[in-house]
Amino acid sequence: MKTAKNIIALAALLAAAAFSASDLAAQPGCGIKPTETILLYPEGQASGKGLQEAGGPGESNGITEPEVLDNGSGAISLISDEARFDLYLPEKPNGQMVIVCPGGGYAFVSSFNEGIYVADWMTRQGIAVAVVKYRLPNGHWTVPLTDVQNTFRYCRAHAQEWGVDQIGVIGFSAGGHLAASATTLYTDRATRPDFSILIYPVISLDWKVSHGGTRTNLLGPDEKWLGREGKTFEQWEADKAMLESLVDKYSLQNNVSADTPPVFLAHSSDDTTVPVENSILFYRALRANKVPAEMHIFPKGGHGWGFSKVEYVGGDNLGYARSEFETSLLRWMKSLRDSQ
């Protein structure tokens, strides 16, 4: 098809646009380096060029300040024009790939704990990895998902040459919300994940169970929608209705269908940042739609344990159950390969 050829040609163009920012050198406790780093919009958000079939990145996120990397934590903030993904190819590919959505409350991208360390562990298992340094929404709610979907398009175009025949998504916290968005709000077969792994994900934007920063950074502060000052009555009513509609859409348990791909969920009961009810809501929706699902709820571990463990950082908040978590995840992923 002409569209597919255009995507592949554009993918080849972007492959030459390697990113060489300082985040490639900031990898404490881990020696893995990306095979390649791909800029999603090599000429910037305003260029109208990118991997999106419509021709570009959609709307801008409005961030104009320089990107900031915290070398100690790996948190990357103010990501805008240089949205990208780091590609990690294993020596002995097993046919699977995960597109990684690190967390950070949609305020930053946790590129070590929920990015590089994920890639290091996954590639050891023969799994290819793309860690997305997605644009932060800054109140522009379509932006992060566009970046993940464009990453899917690129990876689908190159899957055969990489020895990949299954591409899934994994996300953590707000990155879990992004991964769950990719899992339920896909636009076509290219952007539909083959499987989904959600680790302590934000699922609902209902204030009763949501993470406040995730909701606010994605949609903007409630006052933007609910405040009356400077608005006609009609605009005020329209804004209130729009907020209600967005909260409903991005409370992702509402979007599960029989076509939702298989899902693996993991959470801790004592997570005070993202309540475990988020995973439970999603699991119940999966079961109601007869979607294959596996969920692990650990009694303790708190929030943010990701793939930070002793070999990387000298400690592990999930240390008592780390082996169980890794064994269960690998078994589940293997079952997906075996069922092809």
Side-chain angles (χ1 to χ4, degrees):
M1 290 177 60
K2 184 176 180 180
T3 300
K5 290 180 180 177
N6 288 343
I7 292 173
I8 293 171
L10 186 53
L13 172 65
L14 293 184
F19 186 75
S20 59
S22 59
D23 60 312
L24 300 185
Q27 301 177 85
C30 181
I32 191 172
K33 303 290 185 182
T35 305
E36 190 174 9
T37 297
I38 309 299
L39 283 169
L40 287 169
Y41 315 110
E43 297 180 34
Q45 297 177 78
S47 70
K49 296 181 180 180
L51 288 173
Q52 195 177 30
E53 286 185 89
E59 66 176 311
S60 167
N61 65 351
I63 295 175
T64 58
E65 300 96 323
E67 189 174 296
V68 175
L69 167 70
D70 183 326
N71 279 289
S73 68
I76 308 174
S77 56
L78 301 174
I79 301 172
S80 55
D81 281 5
E82 291 178 334
R84 58 200 181 275
F85 66 89
D86 290 337
L87 175 67
Y88 299 85
L89 297 179
E91 291 184 7
K92 298 179 180 180
N94 72 0
Q96 289 182 315
M97 182 176 198
V98 290
I99 290 174
V100 183
C101 304
Y106 284 134
F108 60 88
V109 167
S110 181
S111 71
F112 293 172
N113 174 36
E114 296 159 356
I116 292 168
Y117 302 155
V118 183
D120 188 46
W121 185 84
M122 288 282 185
T123 53
R124 292 187 207 178
Q125 321 307 321
I127 301 162
V129 174
V131 178
V132 189
K133 277 61 177 292
Y134 52 87
R135 291 173 294 164
L136 285 314
N138 190 36
H140 299 264
W141 51 87
T142 65
V143 162
L145 182 56
T146 295
D147 293 353
V148 171
Q149 290 179 336
N150 282 337
T151 301
F152 263 97
R153 292 186 176 102
Y154 185 97
C155 293
R156 296 283 188 205
H158 286 266
Q160 186 173 1
E161 69 185 76
W162 296 338
V164 168
D165 53 28
Q166 276 187 341
I167 304 179
V169 66
I170 182 172
F172 306 78
S173 194
H177 184 270
L178 180 53
S181 297
T183 303
T184 59
L185 299 176
Y186 50 87
T187 61
D188 52 26
R189 292 293 99 182
T191 56
R192 178 187 180 273
D194 295 317
F195 58 87
S196 178
I197 303 164
L198 306 178
I199 312 298
Y200 43 82
V202 178
I203 294 294
S204 175
L205 294 192
D206 186 327
W207 278 117
K208 294 176 183 176
V209 296
S210 191
H211 174 250
T214 295
R215 169 173 165 151
T216 299
N217 288 322
L218 185 66
L219 303 183
D222 278 7
E223 181 59 25
K224 162 188 168 183
W225 303 98
L226 303 179
R228 175 69 202 274
E229 185 177 355
K231 300 177 183 177
T232 64
F233 178 79
E234 289 74 18
Q235 183 60 57
W236 184 40
E237 288 289 288
D239 281 357
K240 289 190 290 182
M242 183 65 172
L243 177 61
E244 183 177 353
S245 174
L246 288 171
V247 169
D248 181 72
K249 177 178 180 179
Y250 289 99
S251 292
L252 300 165
Q253 75 277 9
N254 297 331
N255 304 318
V256 173
S257 73
D259 192 49
T260 300
V263 177
F264 180 99
L265 290 143
H267 218 123
S268 297
S269 293
D270 65 347
D271 190 331
T272 58
T273 302
V274 177
V276 71
E277 283 75 14
N278 283 269
S279 285
I280 293 171
L281 280 169
F282 204 68
Y283 179 79
R284 286 176 171 167
L286 294 166
R287 295 297 302 138
N289 285 275
K290 297 182 171 53
V291 176
E294 178 169 330
M295 180 167 65
H296 295 259
I297 300 178
F298 301 103
K300 58 185 184 349
H303 187 74
W305 38 265
F307 276 71
S308 282
K309 50 187 180 177
V310 173
E311 66 180 287
Y312 300 133
V313 298
D316 189 349
N317 288 343
L318 195 71
Y320 75 98
R322 177 64 63 181
S323 177
E324 179 182 346
F325 165 70
E326 292 180 351
T327 300
S328 297
L329 180 56
L330 274 180
R331 170 191 45 76
W332 182 80
M333 294 185 73
K334 183 178 184 299
S335 74
L336 298 176
R337 296 202 315 273
D338 293 344
S339 64
Q340 276 191 321

